[in-house]
Amino acid sequence: MDPKTLIAALAAEHTLPDDGFLALLTADEADGVDALLFAEADRVRREVYGIDVYLRGLIEFTNVCKNNCFYCGIRRDNRNVSRYRLTEEEILSCCAEGFSLGYRTFVLQGGEDPFYTDEKLVTIVSEIRKRFPSCAITLSVGEKSRASYQAYFDAGADRYLLRHETADGDHYAKLHPASMSLENRKRCLFDLKEIGYQVGAGMMIGSPYQTTENLLHDLRFLEELGPHMIGIGPYLTHRDTPFRDMPNGSLSMTLRLIAILRLMFPRALIPATTALGTIHPKGREMGLRAGANVIMPNLSPKDVRKKYELYENKICTGEEAAECRVCLDRRVEAAGYRVVCSRGDAK
Ligand code: SAH
């Protein structure tokens, strides 16, 4: 089948047979696939969400991590990281500043830091819930027991971001130490869904050793999970990791996958990620035009931003939250969309 027929079939059926997905993923850009794919994705996105772009205020509250993921700059064995932890008061003041700037979703993201016990996290979540009842609270703190997830949920957390990273067990083992497993990652995602969280999964594009078949597995896994949010971005290398000599993922492949995901999941919340904005100065705008409808600006205190370095050259590490907000409004508008200040739940 030619790309045009495949794209039409994907838009109509929201899925393709394996050979269809593989053909689309490997199609030559010279055939105009991407222009067509992005146009279809944008059409579907406008049908469901209009030109609205939702903001999520990202608070990177700790860069301490007990895990040792081979791709990640804040992995445990990286001795060159200056580690930090935000206090409850600091986290709350990030939320307060975010609220005054119009943010109605706060994402608390961090390494897997045992300092933040369930008790501490529950206290923090409850306090945010009490002070900002109209806001959504999203956690992104890695793999936990079902009981822990339940406790955060009961304290008032509504959403959870946990990328599956890759849905292929062998590939998973090439990206993570033996202490981690795809099986547990998946268990977490299904637990989160059953508890009632709005769940976000996703993968890096162009991570080391990734094949087109791996990406096909990712798409099938996402179909099985049915997440509310799907976060993808290019893999970007970091000098202090075992993958220091591996090439970055590609902008065009990431954009192609955003568009495919929009056609598969018309109602999904898909961010134009910071990694996308890092690999190209207009990456996030391109992401929006390929079907993304969420942006996650940084609300972390300025003095810690450079320390949450998952990959090199991360953007927006030198700005204040208020500056980011103004800059984003402009960028989103220039791309043809509009920032809306709401919780931005999935439709
Ligand atoms: N500890 C949390 C948060 C991880 S950081 C958790 O385990 O979920 C959030 C995401 O950043 C990761 O899920 C990963 O997909 C992405 N990331 C990490 N290192 C990266 C790199 N070098 N390039 C691109 N993305 C990266």
Side-chain angles (χ1 to χ4, degrees):
M1 263 200 261
D2 68 298
K4 205 174 161 183
T5 319
L6 285 171
I7 293 167
L10 179 59
E13 307 291 331
H14 311 298
T15 190
L16 285 174
D18 287 358
D19 58 351
F21 273 132
L22 292 172
L24 210 48
L25 289 169
T26 54
D28 194 334
E29 207 168 329
D31 296 339
V33 208
D34 290 307
L36 197 62
L37 201 50
F38 300 166
E40 267 304 273
D42 190 53
R43 181 185 63 74
V44 168
R45 165 255 163 62
R46 282 170 195 261
E47 247 173 56
V48 181
Y49 287 102
I51 57 170
D52 293 356
V53 172
Y54 302 132
L55 298 186
R56 317 301 195 202
L58 186 62
I59 304 169
E60 300 154 336
F61 70 98
T62 171
N63 69 351
V64 178
C65 194
K66 68 179 167 71
N67 285 336
N68 225 357
C69 308
F70 301 146
Y71 46 83
C72 183
I74 62 168
R75 62 199 305 272
R76 184 188 64 217
D77 286 354
N78 184 2
R79 305 274 161 242
N80 297 326
V81 181
S82 153
R83 305 282 173 175
Y84 72 89
R85 290 176 170 130
L86 298 188
T87 63
E88 182 184 336
E89 275 320 306
E90 286 173 318
I91 295 171
L92 287 164
S93 73
C94 289
C95 295
E97 184 177 15
F99 190 86
S100 72
L101 292 170
Y103 291 96
R104 294 296 178 268
T105 294
F106 304 118
V107 182
L108 267 57
Q109 188 180 82
E112 290 198 19
D113 180 356
F115 172 82
Y116 296 90
T117 56
D118 285 354
E119 203 190 330
K120 285 205 182 79
L121 282 175
V122 162
T123 308
I124 293 167
V125 170
S126 312
E127 199 52 39
I128 300 176
R129 176 51 60 237
K130 198 169 94 199
R131 292 201 202 174
F132 307 98
S134 63
C135 295
I137 304 173
T138 306
L139 292 178
S140 179
V141 293
E143 299 175 22
K144 304 275 178 176
S145 68
R146 183 172 178 132
S148 300
Y149 289 146
Q150 185 71 55
Y152 314 149
F153 187 79
D154 294 341
D158 331 73
R159 304 183 185 145
Y160 204 101
L161 304 181
L162 185 78
R163 291 189 178 175
H164 64 282
E165 312 297 358
T166 172
D168 184 289
D170 293 335
H171 186 220
Y172 194 92
K174 290 182 181 157
L175 302 180
H176 302 95
S179 56
M180 296 176 73
S181 73
L182 176 60
E183 199 191 350
N184 194 51
R185 200 103 183 146
K186 286 187 177 175
R187 189 272 303 158
C188 290
L189 284 163
F190 287 107
D191 277 352
L192 288 162
K193 247 201 126 177
E194 278 174 28
I195 290 169
Y197 282 95
Q198 294 170 41
V199 172
M203 62 279 182
M204 290 173 286
I205 309 303
S207 59
Y209 312 109
Q210 185 180 64
T211 63
T212 311
E213 284 72 23
N214 292 155
L215 287 170
L216 172 63
H217 276 123
D218 290 324
L219 299 181
R220 294 294 180 220
F221 172 68
L222 291 169
E223 285 182 333
E224 184 192 339
L225 178 68
H228 301 79
M229 301 162 281
I230 306 168
I232 66 168
Y235 161 74
L236 298 170
T237 203
H238 190 291
R239 64 197 170 279
D240 295 321
T241 67
F243 288 162
R244 63 181 62 84
D245 296 323
M246 298 292 189
N248 285 344
S250 88
L251 169 70
S252 56
M253 196 60 176
T254 307
L255 295 173
R256 190 178 288 191
L257 272 145
I258 288 176
I260 290 175
L261 289 168
R262 172 58 64 207
L263 295 178
M264 291 175 73
F265 305 96
R267 313 181 88 80
L269 297 157
I270 303 178
T273 55
T274 307
L276 194 55
T278 298
I279 201 169
H280 189 286
K282 286 274 155 68
R284 286 177 301 178
E285 288 88 330
M286 293 173 180
L288 294 176
R289 299 185 121 148
N293 63 334
V294 171
I295 295 190
M296 302 174 66
N298 203 317
L299 271 186
S300 314
K302 195 173 156 181
D303 61 303
V304 304
R305 287 189 187 193
K306 275 201 170 49
K307 301 179 183 168
Y308 198 83
E309 193 189 45
L310 308 176
Y311 45 79
E312 286 169 49
N313 306 314
K314 202 175 134 198
I315 52 167
C316 309
T317 55
E319 280 133 78
E320 298 288 355
E323 298 172 68
C324 282
R325 186 66 181 75
V326 174
C327 164
L328 265 177
D329 270 356
R330 245 190 267 122
R331 282 170 177 262
V332 168
E333 234 168 83
Y337 304 92
R338 160 186 79 197
V339 168
V340 283
C341 294
S342 73
R343 279 173 51 113
D345 288 294
K347 300 227 172 187

